[in-house]
Amino acid sequence: QVQLVESGGGLVQPGGSLRLSCAGSGVSFRLNAMGWYRQGAGKERELVARISGGLITNYADSVKGRFTISRDNVKNTVYLQMNSLKPEDTAVYYCNSAPPLEAAWGQGTQVTVSS
């Protein structure tokens, strides 16, 4: 059974930073491409960052240059470093494989960017 647990969200002022973590069990990250997704209020869930098993990264245009995805295959953990945060980054952030496994969606972690 795949379980993904996201953490690290919170309330931050515009221009601030947060680091999200995603710990996985029941799945071997090492061979899988992993992604960070987000869903804002009233919006569709979107992929914002992806990292392949070979550590190739891709980003949505809206976060390019501000967010960095990384992974630790020994710890089975994926990270998302978010800098220069904007109010439009406010959303629930999820991790999952990329493409996602429907049964693997976790609870997500709320990120709120507001002054």
Side-chain angles (χ1 to χ4, degrees), residues 5-10 18 20 35-48 67 80 82 87-96 105-113:
V5 179
E6 301 91 348
S7 62
L18 284 174
L20 307 183
W36 279 97
Y37 304 76
R38 69 184 181 188
Q39 187 167 19
K43 298 181 180 180
E44 297 286 325
R45 185 149 45 194
E46 61 172 342
L47 176 66
V48 296
F67 289 11
L80 186 68
M82 305 187 295
E88 51 263 44
D89 295 318
T90 295
V92 179
Y93 284 72
Y94 304 86
C95 71
N96 205 326
W105 291 111
Q107 295 299 308
T109 185
Q110 175 71 47
V111 172
T112 302
V113 184

Side-chain angles (χ1 to χ4, degrees), residues 23-71:
S25 61
V27 61
S28 174
F29 278 16
R30 183 168 53 88
L31 301 178
N32 295 340
M34 296 297 297
W36 279 97
Y37 304 76
R38 69 184 181 188
Q39 187 167 19
K43 298 181 180 180
E44 297 286 325
R45 185 149 45 194
E46 61 172 342
L47 176 66
V48 296
R50 180 184 184 275
I51 184 166
S52 72
L55 303 182
I56 296 172
T57 56
N58 303 94
Y59 299 92
D61 288 343
S62 58
V63 307
K64 200 171 293 183
R66 300 187 297 121
F67 289 11
T68 303
I69 188 171
S70 61
R71 66 193 298 165

